[in-house]
């Protein structure tokens, strides 16, 4: 019996649905059954599942799905400000805006299009945005799902202003873990970090790997482009690869902070960990006409071949 060659139609593998608020969201699929969901609300990835249907991103059971508030979970985009280190609302306005589909984006490298299911989104500032942040920009976001089930986010910010501007940025990635006390991060050893629990005081990481026993809110500086998050109970490792994103944020609210957040369950800190590719300590500055690119690739591999595989 002969083999029939079936060509996977990546465009047909993208399904458009509406969320609770009638806002379009896009479901990307690959041939193995992995999927990713992206909402026009915030350009936010709200789901990433492996080929077994297991959810790999955390979303709080108490998340508020109502614009303009960003949803607690998935991958909110923090732009043009991270945290409250500026005059804008917490984490900037991009995650609270309704984005549009970019039907004709400027071309990306061919490797970032071939063999992937993807969607291109676009954010331009409104008049209201420019009152609080008086700069003109085009923010293009491509979200891709590869044939291996990797999730890739590529952000391109172009200055279409007559004068330079600066911004900070983060992919605020909520990873789903089995038990935070059984998780460790490799790749950030010996680095300097800013501790947001100590007024952003600078310290140096002393441990062989980062483990969790209490609240953590740190910005690791000049971090490597590959970071691993090992989940011992699940025997799997998240591999985070990043480009154009020198910093790495590590955040878990632990018990006390969890109880103070209305859109977060009291015990949910045990099942989540944020590890963000970011540009925070040294803001990105764009001259008129210049463009910045920040790329994040998330993979999941069995923990058994992690360190050798990663060359950490």
């Amino acid at each position: 019996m002969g083999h029939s060659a079936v060509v996977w139609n990546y465009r047909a593998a993208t399904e458009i649905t509406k969320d609770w608020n009638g806002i379009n969201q896009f479901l990307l699929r690959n041939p193995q059954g992995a999927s990713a969901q992206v909402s026009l609300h915030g350009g936010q990835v709200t789901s990433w599942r492996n080929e077994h249907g297991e959810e790999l991103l955390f979303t709080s059971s108490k998340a508020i799905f109502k614009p303009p508030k960003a949803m607690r979970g998935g991958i909110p985009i923090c732009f043009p400000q991270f945290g409250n280190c500026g005059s804008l609302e917490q984490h900037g306005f991009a995650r609270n805006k309704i984005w549009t589909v970019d039907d004709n984006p400027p071309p990306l490298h061919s490797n970032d299009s071939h063999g992937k299911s993807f969607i291109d989104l676009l954010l331009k500032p409104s008049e209201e945005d420019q009152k609080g942040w008086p700069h003109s920009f085009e923010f293009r976001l491509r979200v891709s799902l590869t044939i291996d089930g990797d999730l890739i986010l590529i952000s391109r910010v172009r200055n279409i202003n007559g004068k330079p501007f600066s911004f900070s940025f983060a992919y605020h990635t909520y990873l789903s873990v089995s038990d935070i006390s059984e998780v460790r991060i490799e790749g950030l050893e010996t680095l300097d970090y800013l501790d947001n629990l100590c007024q952003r005081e600078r310290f140096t990481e002393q441990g062989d790997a980062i483990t969790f026993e209490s609240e953590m809110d740190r910005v690791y500086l000049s971090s490597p482009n590959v970071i691993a998050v090992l989940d011992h109970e699940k025997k799997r490792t998240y591999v985070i690869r990043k480009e154009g994103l020198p910093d790495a944020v590590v955040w878990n609210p632990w018990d006390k902070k969890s109880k103070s957040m209305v859109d977060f369950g009291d015990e949910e800190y045990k099942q989540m960990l944020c590890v963000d590719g970011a540009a925070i300590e040294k803001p990105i500055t764009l001259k008129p006409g210049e463009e910045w690119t920040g790329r994040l690739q998330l993979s999941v591999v069995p923990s058994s071949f992690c360190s050798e595989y990663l060359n950490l």
Side-chain angles (χ1 to χ4, degrees), residues 6 9 19-20 28 32 47-48 50 57 70 93 110 120 131 148 220 222 226-227 236 238 241 247 249 268-269 304 311:
V6 177
N9 184 334
D19 67 13
W20 293 266
L28 310 177
Q32 284 70 38
S47 172
W48 173 39
N50 63 16
L57 298 177
F93 51 71
S110 60
D120 287 297
K131 285 178 187 171
D148 297 324
Y220 285 85
S222 303
V226 183
I227 300 166
R236 72 180 178 202
Y238 292 101
R241 292 181 176 84
D247 303 324
V249 177
E268 287 186 327
Y269 71 91
S304 53
N311 298 317

Side-chain angles (χ1 to χ4, degrees), residues 4-118:
S4 61
V6 177
V7 178
W8 179 255
N9 184 334
Y10 282 94
R11 280 294 177 199
T14 303
E15 180 186 331
I16 304 174
T17 59
K18 291 196 183 291
D19 67 13
W20 293 266
N21 301 296
I23 297 167
N24 279 359
Q25 52 190 9
F26 301 85
L27 185 67
L28 310 177
R29 292 194 183 91
N30 79 354
Q32 284 70 38
S35 67
Q37 187 166 272
V38 192
S39 175
L40 287 183
H41 177 206
Q44 187 165 339
V45 175
T46 55
S47 172
W48 173 39
R49 294 179 182 270
N50 63 16
E51 68 273 19
H52 307 298
E54 293 176 291
E55 181 57 65
L56 302 170
L57 298 177
F58 167 86
T59 299
S60 172
S61 62
K62 293 192 171 182
I64 297 165
F65 298 90
K66 195 154 187 167
K69 185 164 177 62
M71 185 194 81
R72 174 77 67 186
I75 309 179
I77 288 173
C78 304
F79 170 90
Q81 174 184 300
F82 179 80
N84 53 11
C85 305
S87 59
L88 299 173
E89 61 208 89
Q90 169 95 348
H91 292 327
F93 51 71
R95 65 187 187 141
N96 299 326
K97 299 297 176 187
I98 303 300
W99 294 49
T100 58
V101 175
D102 193 359
D103 290 319
N104 192 24
L108 278 162
H109 192 282
S110 60
N111 284 355
D112 284 313
S113 305
H114 184 68
K116 297 178 177 71
S117 174
F118 62 87

Side-chain angles (χ1 to χ4, degrees), residues 155-227:
S155 289
R156 293 182 286 173
V157 177
R158 179 175 290 279
N159 182 352
I160 56 173
N161 224 17
K163 59 182 189 291
F165 64 72
S166 300
F167 63 90
S168 54
F169 179 93
Y171 292 113
H172 196 24
T173 307
Y174 285 78
L175 299 173
S176 175
V177 299
S178 51
D179 179 355
I180 188 62
S181 63
E182 295 289 318
V183 169
R184 79 174 194 266
I185 302 175
E186 293 185 358
L188 302 177
E189 308 80 48
T190 74
L191 295 186
D192 283 2
Y193 64 86
L194 306 178
D195 194 332
N196 289 320
L197 302 180
C198 299
Q199 289 77 50
R200 293 170 62 82
E201 192 176 337
R202 192 176 183 124
F203 297 93
T204 300
E205 180 58 52
Q206 303 294 337
D208 292 336
I210 297 168
T211 55
F212 298 87
E213 298 170 343
S214 59
E215 182 181 355
M216 189 176 290
D217 189 355
R218 298 174 180 175
V219 180
Y220 285 85
L221 309 175
S222 303
S223 60
N225 285 336
V226 183
I227 300 166

